[in-house]
């Protein structure tokens, strides 16, 4: 599965080698894409579109790609690991919420044979899904296959899968 964008960890990526790992900071060598500056600047979105469409088109018929994760854990707050560099949570969430449907659209315009998905990392487990966030609604609506992430191995997995099936009608 090829990941195009990712909201996790260092929000200040740059071309070339990244900074060395920071002792005591989990995944400190992992960088976001797009970074905080590109995410905050709508003038950069044509560049992001060209990136998505260029990569997806280049591998759209390649059997080695099983799926496209268009955005891993969109809007994650990084557990406060980069408070000075990260966009404010509400700003980041708003930007990602507006951009994520466009990223799905851009990838689909490249006509890949592979399914599209976005790693759902925060799922409401209330019986009716009433507290499901807008980002998660977009992910569930736009994804061809549903990817649910639980890096900590929480026991809610089956409840979340059942809820997602009920909300989306997808198996």
């Amino acid at each position: 599965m090829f990941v195009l964008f990712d909201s996790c960890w260092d929000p200040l990526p740059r071309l070339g080698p990244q900074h060395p790992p920071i002792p005591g900071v989990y995944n400190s060598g992992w960088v976001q894409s797009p970074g905080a500056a590109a995410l905050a600047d709508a003038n950069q979105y044509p560049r992001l579109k060209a990136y998505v469409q260029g990569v997806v088109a280049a591998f759209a018929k390649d059997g080695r790609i099983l799926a496209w994760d268009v955005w891993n854990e969109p809007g994650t707050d990084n557990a406060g690991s980069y408070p000075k560099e990260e966009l404010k949570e509400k700003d980041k969430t708003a930007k990602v919420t507006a951009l994520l449907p466009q990223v799905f659209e851009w990838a689909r315009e490249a006509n890949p044979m592979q399914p599209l998905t976005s790693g759902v990392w925060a799922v409401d487990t209330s019986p009716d899904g009433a507290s499901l966030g807008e980002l998660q609604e977009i992910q569930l609506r736009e994804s061809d296959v549903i990817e649910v992430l639980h890096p900590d191995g929480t026991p809610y997995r089956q409840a979340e899968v059942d809820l997602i099936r009920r909300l989306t009608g997808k198996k």
Side-chain angles (χ1 to χ4, degrees):
M1 183 179 326
F2 193 103
V3 179
L4 294 166
F5 291 141
D6 194 326
S7 286
C8 294
W9 306 113
D10 188 343
L12 301 176
R14 60 183 181 274
L15 290 176
Q18 304 301 308
H19 63 75
I22 301 167
V25 177
Y26 176 72
N27 276 347
S28 63
W30 191 333
V31 296
Q32 294 182 36
S33 173
L39 186 58
D41 181 2
N43 292 321
Q44 301 236 9
Y45 293 4
R47 179 179 64 83
L48 300 177
K49 178 180 181 179
Y51 161 72
V52 169
Q53 291 188 325
V55 172
V56 175
F59 297 97
K61 307 297 182 222
D62 190 323
R64 296 173 296 174
I65 306 292
L66 301 178
W68 296 97
D69 185 343
V70 300
W71 205 311
N72 180 54
E73 299 186 32
T76 187
D77 65 2
N78 290 310
S81 295
Y82 297 90
K84 292 178 183 171
E85 297 87 0
E86 187 71 83
L87 293 176
K88 300 294 183 220
E89 185 176 355
K90 66 179 179 132
D91 296 335
K92 181 178 182 179
T93 300
K95 296 287 187 187
V96 174
T97 300
L99 191 55
L100 182 58
Q102 294 178 65
V103 176
F104 271 103
E105 181 180 330
W106 299 338
R108 283 200 173 93
E109 288 173 356
N111 297 311
M113 68 178 195
Q114 306 91 345
L116 305 180
T117 189
S118 176
V120 179
W121 63 278
V123 178
D124 168 37
T125 55
S126 63
D128 62 357
S131 298
L132 199 63
E134 186 176 2
L135 261 177
Q136 290 74 34
E137 289 177 3
I138 293 167
Q139 290 177 282
L140 296 174
R141 180 182 66 241
E142 297 291 334
S143 291
D144 300 320
V145 294
I146 306 299
E147 173 191 6
V148 179
L149 305 175
H150 278 289
D152 61 356
T154 58
Y156 303 107
R157 185 174 314 244
Q158 189 59 52
E160 290 181 358
V161 169
D162 292 344
L163 174 67
I164 289 168
R165 284 182 176 151
R166 198 167 58 252
L167 292 173
T168 64
K170 297 177 184 178
K171 297 180 180 190

